[in-house]
Amino acid sequence: MAHELLVNVRFSETDALGHINNTSYFIYLEDARIKFFETIGFEMDAKEWRYILASTKCDFIDQGYFNQLLRVTTKVSNIGNKSFQLEHEIIDSKNNHLIARGTAVIVYFDFEKQKSEPIPELLRVELERYM
């Protein structure tokens, strides 16, 4: 199962050539991660923040443009003891064409103690549903 988020490319997210600027893809991936967490029941409250983005990557497969409707999918590809990995695809929703592919490694973290902690069982169960 994959979580899906629709994104309409705004003019401000493009570069001088009319393509989606490379930094905009990371914003789409972040938005998809936040919506994914909310969908599985874990609100993104800054006062209760428990996650560190340890690594993120985006491979640009094809060009995207202003006013294009994109579908960003999110799946879980790996669950460790204290971290997990998400896989994203950014797809042109009109023709199902792959535009970009991304990954994110997220660490479950206690900011008060300043150390990583094991992923709680409730979160693990929800993550497993998206593997």
Side-chain angles (χ1 to χ4, degrees), residues 24-35:
S24 296
Y25 288 96
F26 289 97
I27 295 168
Y28 303 155
L29 298 180
E30 177 185 59
D31 207 19
R33 284 192 304 272
I34 289 170
K35 298 299 183 201

Side-chain angles (χ1 to χ4, degrees), residues 9 11 13-22 24-25 63-66:
V9 179
F11 183 76
E13 297 166 343
T14 62
D15 60 21
L17 300 174
H19 306 109
I20 298 173
N21 183 284
N22 60 12
S24 296
Y25 288 96
Q63 300 171 57
Y65 301 94
F66 164 66

Side-chain angles (χ1 to χ4, degrees), residues 75-124:
K75 296 189 296 188
V76 178
S77 60
N78 186 43
I79 305 172
N81 185 40
K82 297 180 179 184
S83 66
F84 54 95
Q85 182 168 307
L86 300 178
E87 301 283 335
H88 303 282
E89 287 189 339
I90 300 175
I91 301 162
D92 181 332
S93 66
K94 185 176 181 181
N95 61 20
N96 243 10
H97 184 73
L98 182 64
I99 302 294
R101 187 178 286 123
T103 60
V105 176
I106 300 169
V107 176
Y108 194 77
F109 195 79
D110 184 323
F111 283 89
E112 198 171 290
K113 296 176 186 174
Q114 285 295 298
K115 69 176 197 169
S116 60
E117 293 193 331
I119 298 170
E121 190 59 29
L122 183 60
L123 175 57
R124 180 177 297 279

